[in-house]
Amino acid sequence: DKSSCFSALAMVRGLVGSSSSNDSNKSEQEGECFDYIDACAAPGNKTSHLAALVHSLLGDDSTTKNTKKSRKKGKGKASKPKSTIFAFERNSTRHGILSQRMEQFVPSPADNGNKVAVEPIHGDFLKADPSDPKFANVRAIMLDPSCSGSGIVNSPDRDNDDAKDTKRIEALSNFQLVALKHAMSFPNVDRIVYSTCSVHDEENECVVSKALAEVMENEPKEDGDEWELVAPVCLEHWPRRGKEGGIGGLTKAQAECLIRCDGLDGDETNGFFVSFFARKKISQSTGGADSAREPIESAGIPLYNGQFKEACKQGGDTNAKKAVSDAKMDTAVSKEEEEVVTPKEGKKQKVPTKKNERSAAKASDKSAIKAKKREKKLAWKRKQALQKAERMKKKKMTEAASKEQKNSE
């Protein structure tokens, strides 16, 4: 699901990419090599996504330090990873799945020159020692703990008894809070992503608010070491934000830093929640949350802003093509044209060929079919959600009727 990709994206690009910052004010994360922790990693989808993004960040030699020297020193030797992701999983079966997937999806630095290594750890993240020298270079933690899964649109029916559900959410919320506070206790960590696939405030805004309050109260920090919420730069275009006030008690500014997705309200995703924490010293050096909400310049690269979604709603391939940015269209046109020489002038002109016209027509047909399939899938998900709500309603009415009958007897 698209929304589940937000966690790793915010982890790697949460402080990088603001067009308002000058070269001297760019994120210290860009071009630097440090380690990461994925606190609840199995089955490994987010872990492999994080590895790919970190590798991409470090992949350009122009952005890394002392690359020429490192190349000379590394001749004839197996390359060492510039960054390691420690992936925790306490369950034996799930740890086995995690290890297998990492072997398949993440190339070995020794064999392929990959700049990122993933080290699966069979253990409980809550028992990891923040002062362990092994984690001395860890500066970022991605925490996607167990949750109610209430945001998954087409999830199997669950027992929705109010009393049981309330107790379950309360137990999950307590665990999530403990895990987040433990992540905040790592001395060298200066950024954390906390996410869930839940729509409940108790697992989202409430956990965020309590963690900030309790860490500040119980563990006073020096100036600059305090934790604060930061709006991820890479997701500044996402319109749906967190909830202010309520049981979480967050301010409007804090709620604006949070990301929410709602699959039943037009987001075309499952329900999801993302929060990005950073130490004040690094959030201020990159402009903080204020600059993160400023528009990002495309730098010549077309940015998606819902164009294809609107085009598919309107129907027709012509509208879909118009929704593509001019820069992308220019590139596409240049590829679809061939150079031919006119006999009179002897000059080269670019004209479309029948072959390119046929390929364009096929591409249009494919895009129309994909749009229909996507709309059909969304309609099915909405239908499933409505049917589930109706079943739960009937179940509650039946239980209420049986209770009344017992009371009358």
Side-chain angles (χ1 to χ4, degrees):
D1 183 75
K2 176 173 67 177
S3 60
S4 62
C5 298
F6 287 178
S7 303
L9 187 63
M11 183 86 276
V12 177
R13 290 289 179 181
L15 296 172
V16 178
S18 176
S19 61
S20 61
S21 59
N22 54 35
D23 292 337
S24 61
N25 231 7
K26 282 187 177 179
S27 170
E28 57 186 330
Q29 181 180 4
E30 189 169 8
E32 277 206 42
C33 307
F34 53 84
D35 297 338
Y36 297 74
I37 285 179
D38 188 350
C40 304
N45 296 333
K46 292 182 179 66
T47 314
S48 57
H49 185 208
L50 177 62
L53 291 174
V54 174
H55 176 79
S56 176
L57 187 71
L58 301 175
D60 187 358
D61 289 336
S62 63
T63 61
T64 55
K65 299 177 180 179
N66 301 323
T67 52
K68 291 184 178 179
K69 292 181 180 179
S70 61
R71 285 197 207 104
K72 290 180 181 179
K73 290 180 180 180
K75 284 185 177 180
K77 299 179 181 179
S79 59
K80 293 183 180 179
K82 294 182 177 180
S83 181
T84 300
I85 300 173
F86 299 102
F88 281 85
E89 178 52 51
R90 63 179 184 178
N91 181 274
S92 300
T93 304
R94 287 169 62 83
H95 175 263
I97 295 172
L98 172 66
S99 301
Q100 185 179 10
R101 286 195 176 184
M102 292 305 101
E103 289 178 4
Q104 292 174 339
F105 299 149
V106 183
S108 169
D111 298 335
N112 298 285
N114 185 23
K115 295 176 174 61
V116 183
V118 177
E119 183 180 328
I121 296 177
H122 186 195
D124 189 347
F125 170 67
L126 296 181
K127 295 179 180 179
D129 184 3
S131 60
D132 190 333
K134 184 177 186 176
F135 308 127
N137 198 37
V138 172
R139 287 181 50 194
I141 295 178
M142 184 168 67
L143 175 62
D144 188 73
S146 300
C147 69
S148 63
S150 55
I152 302 175
V153 177
N154 58 345
S155 62
D157 289 349
R158 294 185 177 87
D159 183 4
N160 266 19
D161 181 81
D162 289 341
K164 290 182 180 179
D165 201 43
T166 302
K167 289 181 180 179
R168 178 170 177 262
I169 292 173
E170 184 180 354
L172 286 167
S173 178
N174 290 335
F175 161 71
Q176 291 155 357
L177 177 60
V178 171
L180 181 53
K181 287 170 61 180
H182 184 61
M184 290 178 168
S185 69
F186 281 70
N188 296 328
V189 169
D190 51 26
R191 66 209 77 192
I192 297 171
V193 168
Y194 168 74
S195 61
T196 72
C197 55
S198 170
V199 296
H200 297 307
D201 296 2
E202 292 87 346
E203 298 178 85
N204 298 330
E205 284 86 355
C206 191
V207 171
V208 167
S209 177
K210 284 183 178 179
L212 286 172
E214 292 182 16
V215 167
M216 285 296 295
E217 182 181 353
N218 300 328
E219 301 176 19
K221 303 289 183 183
E222 298 179 3
D223 290 343
D225 281 343
E226 304 94 331
W227 288 103
E228 65 177 1
L229 287 170
V230 176
V233 176
C234 53
L235 296 172
E236 73 86 35
H237 65 285
W238 192 259
R240 196 180 301 278
R241 296 284 156 169
K243 300 178 182 179
E244 62 176 298
I247 59 175
L250 296 173
T251 65
K252 184 177 181 180
Q254 288 175 321
E256 278 292 307
C257 294
L258 306 176
I259 303 294
R260 267 187 176 268
C261 303
D262 191 341
L264 298 178
D265 194 22
D267 284 345
E268 297 183 333
T269 67
N270 283 321
F272 207 73
F273 173 84
V274 180
S275 57
F276 181 50
F277 299 85
R279 303 271 191 190
K280 274 190 177 180
K281 58 187 177 185
I282 68 162
S283 65
Q284 289 174 353
S285 68
T286 56
D290 294 335
S291 68
R293 294 293 286 144
E294 293 179 5
I296 300 176
E297 294 177 0
S298 64
I301 302 173
L303 296 178
Y304 177 70
N305 195 23
Q307 303 98 320
F308 298 107
K309 175 183 171 183
E310 294 301 323
C312 291
K313 284 183 179 179
Q314 294 170 9
D317 304 316
T318 305
N319 291 329
K321 288 180 181 179
K322 288 181 180 178
V324 184
S325 64
D326 293 338
K328 189 170 182 179
M329 283 296 291
D330 291 340
T331 305
V333 170
S334 64
K335 289 181 179 178
E336 291 178 1
E337 293 173 340
E338 292 183 358
E339 291 185 346
V340 297
V341 180
T342 58
K344 290 184 179 180
E345 299 178 0
K347 295 181 179 179
K348 290 184 179 181
Q349 294 181 347
K350 292 183 178 180
V351 295
T353 63
K354 290 183 179 180
K355 182 180 178 181
N356 292 327
E357 289 176 357
R358 286 196 299 271
S359 62
K362 287 181 181 179
S364 298
D365 293 339
K366 287 182 180 179
S367 63
I369 292 170
K370 286 182 180 179
K372 287 180 181 179
K373 286 184 178 179
R374 183 165 56 250
E375 186 60 35
K376 186 176 180 181
K377 184 177 180 181
L378 287 172
W380 178 82
K381 286 186 176 182
R382 295 190 193 99
K383 183 180 178 181
Q384 290 285 72
L386 291 172
Q387 288 178 350
K388 181 179 177 181
E390 189 65 25
R391 286 196 297 271
M392 293 301 105
K393 185 178 179 181
K394 288 180 180 179
K395 182 180 177 181
K396 288 181 180 180
M397 291 175 64
T398 304
E399 290 176 350
S402 62
K403 285 181 181 178
E404 289 181 4
Q405 188 176 359
K406 286 181 181 179
N407 293 333
S408 61
E409 290 175 356

